[in-house]
Amino acid sequence: EATVEGLRMGATDYLVKPFSSRELLARVEGNLAAARARREQRQAEREREKLIAVVEQSSDLIGIGGPDGRAMFLNEAGQRMLGLEGPEAVRSTHLFDYFLEEDRPYVRDVILPRLREHGRWDGEFRLRDFRTGGAVPVHYNFFQLRDAATGEDIGIATVSRDITERHRREAEAREQREFEQQLIGIVSHDLRSPINAILLSANALLQ
């Protein structure tokens, strides 16, 4: 009866008298180990929640694929960037679906071999907008995922930043420089013409 009552009151372990000191010590050590494991699990869950929040709130595209190239995850920023709606749409895609058709040979022949050899590829590239089929310029950071214990390849991942706005600013700056050069050329020509006329008139008077 005492045992039943104790369990009803929330006890998770008990000893029936008489018991030895060794048995008591073993039970205490077991409970302490279980308590540490629960704390570590709660801490791991909190860290996992923080990581999920960072991934979901990031303005960069963050994607994960399996070893076979099948997409497994794409965060909300990536879905907005490329015009995909929801996890099911993402999981129906493959790595090559994210690139323009004319860029796929470069992915196959350059990026993937570099990934297998060095574990990553980094640089400016283009992704495909699933809505329009157009290009989305990005800084593409592509890397392999490996099991921390075995070193085995378990998938691929990317963190990519949309650089459309940067390209727009660079294009505007180039156009501005070209306009300034053209303006300087026009002004220089217009100034030279009157000066040349004046010099010719002065030479004629002197003669």
Side-chain angles (χ1 to χ4, degrees):
E1 291 182 4
T3 299
V4 173
E5 186 64 25
L7 292 172
R8 284 175 177 170
M9 296 179 65
T12 58
D13 198 5
Y14 63 91
L15 287 172
V16 178
K17 293 181 180 180
F19 55 82
S20 68
S21 59
R22 291 179 60 188
E23 186 179 3
L24 175 61
L25 181 60
R27 291 292 183 92
V28 170
E29 289 177 345
N31 283 330
L32 289 174
R36 284 195 296 270
R38 287 192 295 270
R39 285 197 301 271
E40 290 173 358
Q41 183 178 0
R42 287 194 296 269
Q43 179 65 26
E45 289 173 353
R46 285 194 292 268
E47 294 300 323
R48 180 174 176 274
E49 289 171 357
K50 290 178 184 177
L51 178 59
I52 291 173
V54 169
V55 169
E56 287 298 351
Q57 295 173 24
S58 172
S59 60
D60 292 337
L61 177 154
I62 300 177
I64 299 173
D68 59 354
R70 285 288 169 188
M72 299 169 60
F73 169 82
L74 186 65
N75 69 342
E76 291 184 4
Q79 292 179 37
R80 288 193 301 271
M81 184 190 301
L82 301 182
L84 286 165
E85 297 184 1
E88 290 300 322
V90 171
R91 286 193 289 268
S92 69
T93 61
H94 186 274
L95 171 66
F96 285 103
D97 296 331
Y98 290 82
F99 300 100
L100 300 174
E101 188 172 355
E102 61 265 32
D103 291 341
R104 290 172 189 171
Y106 187 86
V107 175
R108 183 188 63 241
D109 299 334
V110 177
I111 294 180
L112 289 179
R114 186 75 58 83
L115 182 71
R116 287 190 288 268
E117 183 178 356
H118 301 288
R120 68 184 311 112
W121 188 91
D122 185 85
E124 289 192 14
F125 206 58
R126 302 186 299 178
L127 295 178
R128 183 173 73 91
D129 188 321
F130 283 77
R131 290 162 299 200
T132 66
V136 180
V138 296
H139 187 93
Y140 189 54
N141 185 5
F142 190 37
F143 51 94
Q144 283 185 318
L145 297 175
R146 292 191 172 95
D147 186 284
T150 65
E152 179 186 2
D153 291 337
I154 58 175
I156 53 179
T158 180
V159 179
S160 299
R161 175 162 296 180
D162 188 343
I163 55 176
T164 302
E165 182 62 22
R166 195 187 81 189
H167 279 195
R168 185 188 64 78
R169 291 196 300 267
E170 290 174 349
E172 288 179 350
R174 285 195 301 271
E175 291 175 0
Q176 180 66 22
R177 288 194 298 270
E178 291 172 1
F179 173 76
E180 290 172 353
Q181 292 298 321
Q182 292 174 358
L183 182 61
I184 290 170
I186 292 170
V187 171
S188 298
H189 177 270
D190 290 346
L191 286 175
R192 281 197 301 271
S193 296
I195 291 173
N196 289 336
I198 292 171
L199 290 175
L200 287 173
S201 298
N203 286 332
L205 289 173
L206 290 173
Q207 294 174 359

